[in-house]
Amino acid sequence: MEETDVIAHLIGGVLTPRRVNLQERDQELIGRAGRGDADAFARLVEPHLASLHRLAVAMLARDRTAEAEDVVQETLLAGFRGLGGFAGRASFRTWLVAILVQQVALARRKAVRWRFLRTEVEPAAGDDFVKRADARMDVMEMLTRLTPEHREVLVLRELEQMSYDEIAGVLKVPAGTVESRLSRARQELRKRLSEMTP
Amino acid sequence: MSGCNMTPQLSAYLDGELPAAESAAMAAHLKSCGECAAAYQEMNAISAAMQAWQPEPMTDAAHRRLRSALDNAAIRQLRRVTEALSAVAAMLALVAILSSSSSESNASIPPIINLPQWEKTALRMDDSAQNKPVEIATAEWVVSDLSTGGGGHARE
C-alpha cells in the first residue's frame, strides 16, 4: 500500500495528526465514481464490504441478516450519492463507517417493526470464562443486551479497532463520553457473563 | 461488582488510551490487585471473542441486489444530469429568442410623442436648426407655427 499523504485530520473538533492511505487506484476510482460510474464505486467499496456487513450485524445485534444487508445497501447508496462530500480528511473506510452508523440509527428509528430477540442463551460447556465468551451466539447475545449507545462504541472499538478520537468523530460525541460508555459497556458484559456462570 | 476505584480505568488501559504515566500506574496496580487483574482478564477475553466473531457472510442474492441498486442509482444520477442540462439548454434558447425579438422590435419602435416643430426646434432636435443661431431659429419656428395655426402639434 502506498502512503501518499499525511494530513491533519479533524475529528470531533480535535485536530489530530493522521496518516491517510489513499492509493492512486482509490483516488482514480473516487474520481470516476464521483462522476457517476457505478463500476468504479463497486470496485472502491469491495474491500470494505464484508467489514461493513459485520459492523451492521453487530450494531443491529440481531440474529437475522436481512436488515443488516439493507443497512449496508443504504450505506453504499448514500456513499455513492454523496461521494462529492468526501474530502479525504478521514480515510475512505472511516467515512463509510460514519455513514453506516447513521444508517443504523435510521433503521433503529423504524423500531416499530422490530422485535428484539431475547433468546435465552444456553450456557457453554465448562465454566471457563474465555470459552463462554468465545461462543458466537454469546457475542450476539451480549450485544443484544447492551443499550444501542454502549453497543455502537464497543463495536467500533472491537470490530473496527478505532481510536477513541475516531469513534468520537464518527458518533459526534466527546472522547470522554466514548471512554465512559466503553467502560460501562464492558462492565455490563462482565456482569452478564458472570450471571451465566453455572 | 467491584470495590476498587481503579476498575473504571481498566477499559481505557485495555485500549491503550491511558496517558503513559497512568498506564504505568495501572500496570503496577494489576500486579497487586487481584480483583482488577481478574476484571482485566475478563475484559480481554470479551475483546478477543468480539474480534474473532464473524457473522454469516452476505448472501449472493444480497450482493446482486446491491449491485443492481448501485446501477439504478447511477442511471438516476445520469438522468438527473441530462435533465438539468436540457433545462439549461432550453432556458438559453428562450433567452436567445427573447433577446433577438426584443432587438428587432426596438428598431421599429415609433416615437412616443410627435413633438410640435417649435419644441423640436427649441430642443434643437431639428437638424435644420443645428447650424443656425438660436435667435434666427426661434424666429423661424414662431413664424412657422403662426402660419400653421400656432401652438398645436405639428402634423408630420
Side-chain angles (χ1 to χ4, degrees), chain B residues 40-105:
Chain B
Y40 180 68
Q41 257 196 324
E42 290 174 5
M43 285 185 186
N44 231 337
I46 292 168
S47 181
M50 283 194 68
Q51 287 173 30
W53 172 80
Q54 291 289 342
E56 294 294 322
M58 277 178 82
T59 59
D60 287 344
H63 278 279
R64 283 195 297 275
R65 276 199 305 276
L66 180 57
R67 187 52 216 252
S68 167
L70 278 178
D71 286 339
N72 288 338
I75 290 167
R76 279 197 300 274
Q77 205 161 307
L78 187 63
R79 196 177 295 152
R80 272 199 300 274
V81 170
T82 310
E83 284 169 0
L85 287 176
S86 303
V88 169
M91 198 173 291
L92 287 175
L94 185 64
V95 167
I97 290 168
L98 287 175
S99 161
S100 156
S101 126
S102 162
S103 58
E104 278 171 18
S105 50

Side-chain angles (χ1 to χ4, degrees), chain A residues 5-74:
Chain A
D5 197 12
V6 178
I7 58 172
H9 180 214
L10 188 65
I11 288 183
V14 181
L15 199 61
T16 313
R18 178 187 166 84
R19 185 171 288 269
V20 175
N21 302 315
L22 282 178
Q23 293 175 300
E24 273 181 32
R25 171 187 166 274
D26 280 5
Q27 286 175 324
E28 187 215 327
L29 290 176
I30 286 171
R32 283 172 47 198
R35 292 189 292 275
D37 184 338
D39 273 332
F41 190 75
R43 285 177 59 198
L44 191 61
V45 298
E46 197 275 331
H48 311 294
L49 200 52
S51 297
L52 291 174
H53 178 247
R54 183 176 178 231
L55 278 179
V57 175
M59 284 193 182
L60 292 170
R62 300 166 66 77
D63 196 25
R64 292 184 294 169
T65 56
E67 273 150 337
E69 287 169 355
D70 287 347
V71 163
V72 171
Q73 180 168 312
E74 290 306 313

Side-chain angles (χ1 to χ4, degrees), chain A residues 160-176:
Chain A
E160 272 301 295
Q161 299 288 294
M162 282 183 164
S163 71
Y164 287 8
D165 279 343
E166 285 175 317
I167 297 172
V170 166
L171 298 180
K172 296 180 174 52
V173 297

Side-chain angles (χ1 to χ4, degrees), chain B residues 4 9 12 22 30 49 55 57-58 79 83 85 98 103-104 113 120 126 129-130 133-134 139 142-143 149-150 153:
Chain B
C4 182
Q9 291 177 50
E22 290 178 40
L30 285 175
M58 277 178 82
R79 196 177 295 152
E83 284 169 0
L85 287 176
L98 287 175
S103 58
E104 278 171 18
I113 299 171
K120 284 186 180 178
D126 187 351
Q130 295 292 321
V134 175
V142 169
V143 171
H153 283 110

